[in-house]
Amino acid sequence: MSLTEYRRKRDFDKTPEPGPSRRKSKDGALSFVIQHHLASHEHDDLRLELDGVLKSWAVPKRVSRKHGVRRLAVEVEDHPLEYGKFEGEIPKGEYGAGTVKIWDSGTWESESDPHEGLRRGKLVFTLSGDKMKGRWSLVRMRTEESKPQWLLTRLSKAR
Ligand code: MN
């Protein structure tokens, strides 16, 4: 169900991106990835694993590691787990045409039930990557739009 939009937007005969297969949730740590996407508009894509897919946000001004910095994060369609390993060139004319590179990856952990957090529009979480280490929050600002807008904020160390 949740990969329907991912499938609809892409022609897998033309794009090298992974197909829309959904994985069973596995035990253990959940993965995250930040992909730098040099498309018509340069941005970062933040993806957090949950329920066998990658919940995804496009961050137009790029993610920041500086404490207190806030960035707009536009919710986009769920991506398959395999997308977290994807780097490459999406051909001209295809959805998201341009270059995708992995900027950082690792594991993430929500400070409360992530399903409820996503539903309610507030997620506080820790990223353990090579570059991204520490706490961030995602807070939904507007829900009436087709692409819900969130605010991604780098939090201080103290809880
Ligand atoms: Mn993108």
Side-chain angles (χ1 to χ4, degrees):
M1 171 70 194
S2 99
L3 290 173
T4 306
E5 193 182 347
Y6 178 86
R7 181 189 290 112
R8 187 175 58 74
K9 286 179 168 170
R10 292 169 176 82
D11 179 347
F12 295 101
D13 290 333
K14 292 182 179 158
T15 180
E17 295 166 291
S21 67
R22 192 190 177 95
R23 288 266 188 82
K24 267 194 183 153
S25 296
K26 53 181 168 43
D27 292 332
L30 298 170
S31 63
F32 88 88
V33 65
I34 294 168
Q35 282 154 322
H36 177 241
H37 191 175
L38 200 51
S40 54
H41 297 278
E42 180 183 15
H43 60 276
D44 282 339
D45 288 301
L46 167 67
R47 310 191 195 282
L48 305 174
E49 176 186 356
L50 193 66
D51 301 331
V53 297
L54 294 170
K55 306 309 264 185
S56 297
W57 291 262
V59 185
K61 292 202 166 167
R62 317 281 316 270
V63 295
S64 176
R65 287 175 281 181
K66 280 190 191 161
H67 292 285
V69 169
R70 295 171 173 211
R71 289 284 151 82
L72 172 69
V74 180
E75 188 180 328
V76 298
E77 75 274 17
D78 293 347
H79 280 51
L81 267 190
E82 288 87 325
Y83 208 96
K85 302 236 186 319
F86 175 71
E87 289 189 305
E89 205 70 39
I90 302 170
K92 243 184 176 176
E94 298 307 301
Y95 179 72
T99 308
V100 176
K101 282 196 175 125
I102 295 172
W103 186 76
D104 197 19
S105 63
T107 61
W108 79 286
E109 190 176 2
S110 178
E111 291 183 8
S112 57
D113 175 20
H115 301 94
E116 192 171 322
L118 285 171
R119 205 166 45 240
R120 293 194 173 181
K122 183 169 185 187
L123 210 54
V124 178
F125 56 96
T126 298
L127 296 179
S128 305
D130 294 326
K131 295 170 185 156
M132 299 286 273
K133 295 178 197 292
R135 300 170 73 231
W136 277 262
S137 68
L138 269 169
V139 175
R140 194 166 52 218
M141 300 185 291
R142 292 188 209 128
T143 54
E144 71 270 20
E145 299 184 23
S146 61
K147 288 184 169 181
Q149 304 195 349
W150 299 63
L151 215 47
L152 176 66
T153 305
R154 172 72 158 109
L155 303 174
S156 60
K157 259 184 183 161
R159 287 201 177 186

